[in-house]
């Protein structure tokens, strides 16, 4: 079994170890994305538009997108 998976953050491929979470994908893509999500400036959604928490699970080929938080 492969210990790493590829996920996509805003269509950018990111390699992570199996079991890592949404927050790890954001950090691997850009530390500023993670910080903005932590401050509530952006939200993270999946490919179906459902909002994800920073501790959300990921799997091979997960696609997550960052969106500005709307009031």
């Amino acid at each position: 079994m492969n210990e790493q998976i590829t996920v996509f953050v805003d269509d950018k491929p990111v390699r992570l170890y199996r079991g890592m979470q949404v927050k790890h994908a954001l950090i691997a893509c850009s530390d500023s994305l993670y910080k903005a999500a932590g401050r509530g400036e952006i939200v993270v959604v999946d490919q179906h538009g459902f909002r994800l928490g920073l501790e959300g699970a990921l799997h091979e080929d997960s696609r997550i997108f960052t969106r500005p938080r709307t009031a």
Side-chain angles (χ1 to χ4, degrees):
M1 176 161 57
N2 193 350
E3 295 296 320
Q4 289 190 331
I5 61 172
T6 300
V7 301
F8 297 85
V9 178
D10 294 330
D11 292 323
K12 178 181 176 185
V14 176
R15 295 285 292 164
L16 299 173
Y17 286 101
R18 190 172 302 283
M20 289 188 145
Q21 302 167 329
V22 169
K23 63 183 171 186
H24 301 114
L26 294 178
I27 292 167
C29 186
S30 167
D31 190 53
S32 63
L33 281 179
Y34 173 67
K35 289 178 180 177
R39 290 189 300 264
E41 296 170 1
I42 63 171
V43 295
V44 181
V45 298
D46 67 10
Q47 67 268 28
H48 304 290
F50 294 106
R51 191 169 173 178
L52 302 172
L54 294 178
E55 309 236 343
L58 298 170
H59 55 81
E60 181 70 34
D61 293 326
S62 288
R63 293 184 182 274
I64 62 175
F65 301 91
T66 58
R67 301 287 184 251
R69 183 175 182 174
T70 57

